[in-house]
Amino acid sequence: MKMKKSLVALCLSAGLLAAAPAVSLAAINIVPQDVSAAPSIPASTLQQLHWTPVSPSQTLTSDVSAAGQTLNAGDITGPVMAYSVPANIGELNITLTSKVNNESVYAPNVLVLDQNFTPAAFFPSSFFAYQEPGVMSDNRLEGTMKLTPALGQQKLYLLVFTTQKDLQKTTQMVDPAKAYAKGNGNAVPDIPDPIARHGVAGSLALKASTSSSSSILVGPLFGSSGPASVTVGNTAAPAYNTQPAPAAAPAAAPAPVAKSEPMLNDTESYFNQAIKQAAAKGDIDKALKLLNEAERLGSKSARATFISSVKGKG
């Protein structure tokens, strides 16, 4: 499925920390914004869970058996883990690692939810690819979810679970002796590789960090056109303008819309930086839409930033 460059749709692209042998993102063919495969869970049920906060740059390690919670929905099997991540710190890289222990591993699925517990994105267990052991790492399943929260969001929720279908599968690993030989440039021994069975117990590590190159836009951008998408974050965020935006035309940007209240400095900086980044990438349509919304919200500097940026002076 080809994903269009649109500021309205829930634009998602997902990356793994490292490519595993014989496994590629193209082969997995995951479209995270398609939540139809995710289990249907009532918001009231989700609200009853305890959501563990994860601070930026913090690696939170959890024993699923000890810290997991019970959630009966769809094909979900065994304990689930529930995390909350701040969404007001910019773009996010969220890395989830499931460690193999005694040839058993917890095959995670991740459902991304907004502040109203509405599903926004779904990363099935196939997204978390096997990674070979290294000097400082063990056999593991691992994947990085890249999220760009829309302006005004305060929090994202991540529900981690495994399913009955996952328990019927296994993960082909690489024997540590082979990994060691390969890493040292020695001849790889001809020995069988172990297989990890999937279970309802395991050790998970979740790390959330900010990034300036994240490629997932979670929630619609104010003033953008096209079909509505899910907002992930603050329920008190301003209402979205769903009217079609004008076509990109750097030389003839629409006049600003008057606003009675001045824009906050942080908001002004947010839009100016986003305009510069879009212009630097040659995405003038995106930069123009950002300009339109910034001026609608009362920005006094967005137009100058837009003009200088498209002229290469941003």
Side-chain angles (χ1 to χ4, degrees), residues 56-57 86 88-94 147 208-214:
S57 300
N88 57 355
I89 57 174
E91 298 163 323
L92 295 168
N93 280 352
I94 300 178
L147 309 176
S209 59
T210 57
S211 170
S212 60
S213 59
S214 294

Side-chain angles (χ1 to χ4, degrees), residues 53-73:
V54 181
S55 302
S57 300
Q58 171 192 12
T59 299
L60 183 63
T61 302
S62 305
D63 183 331
V64 176
S65 296
Q69 303 175 69
T70 300
L71 178 62
N72 297 317

